[in-house]
Amino acid sequence: MKLKISSQIKYIFAIILAGIFWGIISIFLKDLSNEGLSSIQIMAIRGILSSFFLFIILFISDRNALKIDLKDLWMFIGTGVVSLTFFSLCYFYTILESGASVAVVLLYTSPIFVLLLSAVIFKEKITVLKFISLILTFVGCVFVTGLISGKQSVSIIGFFIGLCSGLGYALYSIFSRFALKKYKPITIIFYTFLFSGISILPFCQPLQAIKIFSFKMIPSSIFISILCTVLPYLLYTFGLKGIENSKAAILVTIEPLVGTLIGVLLFNEEMNLVKLVGILLIFLSIILCGIKQKN
């Protein structure tokens, strides 16, 4: 077995950057949450504003990218509703039911689902390095979130719905892979958030959100839509063009690592040896993903 550094650096870098931008979302989430918006209302604002900004960009620069075949709608319903809306609702429920640490760990079972689904659908190989990276990723997330302390209890329904959030999160990579055969990443992202934003409205009490929304929420709403949504989704979808789904799913787990560092540096959250070990394990899994295995 020979190992060498992967030549797909730009795609790997794009995926890692996506994870970093997703990881800083807590900065703006806390600001909007402190103003009285619920997590689902923030998600609705994020989806609607993201699709609005993308529409303006595409309308000015490339109107042809707005065109899709009706027979391909299932791809965008898949990325927007089946993946983004479904996993978000499951994720928020798990946070309320079992706590944030449990929710994050169960959400990051997604690389397991991506690995298995990609092996079945796209015939991606389950290599030794992928398997080791997967184990390191999951254990690292357990350590980073503090779940290893054993203070959280998980109900059966909380555990099941948490796993559903991981499955929903994984499905974005699957549906995107089909869409990338025909459409540009920016087109996929636009319709993903358009469908997600529409589908989340029945769950978010939109009239209440409108009453709560104020002028000082605008900067955080824009940042969460562009910096933490449009940009990372474009980077992640671009990355899927050049590397396997299973590798991308592992690389993007830098997100909880970045989220933890943001919490420590900006919100005075605790950093201990267990979290540090978790961070190192996630870094190690990312390094392993950057190595190409040859038999």
Side-chain angles (χ1 to χ4, degrees), residues 163-177:
L163 285 180
C164 286
S165 72
L167 173 61
Y169 196 44
L171 287 173
Y172 179 82
S173 297
I174 304 301
F175 284 110
S176 289
R177 180 71 73 182

Side-chain angles (χ1 to χ4, degrees), residues 9-227:
I9 296 299
K10 64 181 180 180
Y11 301 110
I12 292 173
F13 187 61
I15 297 289
I16 292 174
L17 268 182
I20 291 172
F21 284 122
W22 276 324
I24 65 173
I25 197 171
S26 59
I27 299 172
F28 311 109
L29 276 175
K30 283 184 179 289
D31 183 47
L32 294 173
S33 179
N34 289 338
E35 295 297 328
L37 291 172
S38 70
S39 297
I40 295 180
Q41 287 170 335
I42 295 170
M43 181 192 166
I45 291 171
R46 177 192 185 198
I48 292 167
L49 280 181
S50 296
S51 57
F52 172 76
F53 289 133
L54 285 167
F55 177 79
I56 297 299
I57 292 170
L58 289 172
F59 187 80
I60 293 172
S61 64
D62 186 6
R63 295 184 190 181
N64 286 329
L66 290 169
K67 298 177 182 178
I68 60 172
D69 291 335
L70 290 178
K71 65 180 182 180
D72 295 330
L73 279 178
W74 65 273
M75 300 176 186
F76 306 107
I77 291 172
T79 57
V81 181
V82 179
S83 176
L84 187 55
T85 298
F86 175 68
F87 101 70
S88 297
L89 292 174
C90 291
Y91 182 57
F92 295 148
Y93 178 89
T94 308
I95 290 174
L96 296 174
E97 177 71 19
S98 304
S101 295
V102 173
V104 170
V105 169
L106 292 176
L107 176 66
Y108 278 93
T109 58
S110 60
I112 299 172
F113 290 113
V114 172
L115 187 71
L116 296 175
L117 289 170
S118 296
V120 173
I121 298 171
F122 303 114
K123 310 303 179 186
E124 291 184 7
K125 293 181 180 179
I126 301 178
T127 64
V128 173
L129 279 182
K130 282 183 186 178
F131 184 75
I132 294 173
S133 298
L134 197 64
I135 299 299
L136 291 175
T137 295
F138 186 73
V139 174
C141 286
V142 171
F143 278 36
V144 164
T145 59
L147 187 63
I148 197 171
S149 65
K151 295 179 181 179
Q152 293 90 350
S153 59
V154 187
S155 66
I156 293 175
I157 189 168
F159 180 78
F160 176 75
I161 293 179
L163 285 180
C164 286
S165 72
L167 173 61
Y169 196 44
L171 287 173
Y172 179 82
S173 297
I174 304 301
F175 284 110
S176 289
R177 180 71 73 182
F178 286 108
L180 279 168
K181 294 176 181 178
K182 190 172 180 179
Y183 298 102
K184 296 179 179 179
I186 195 169
T187 301
I188 297 169
I189 303 305
F190 169 66
Y191 283 102
T192 293
F193 280 96
L194 178 64
F195 284 117
S196 179
I198 293 170
S199 65
I200 203 69
L201 286 177
F203 303 96
C204 74
Q205 298 179 298
L207 294 179
Q208 181 195 56
I210 291 170
K211 290 180 181 178
I212 295 172
F213 198 85
S214 62
F215 181 79
K216 62 182 178 180
M217 295 185 193
I218 292 176
S220 290
S221 299
I222 292 174
F223 279 124
I224 208 172
S225 300
I226 296 178
L227 191 62

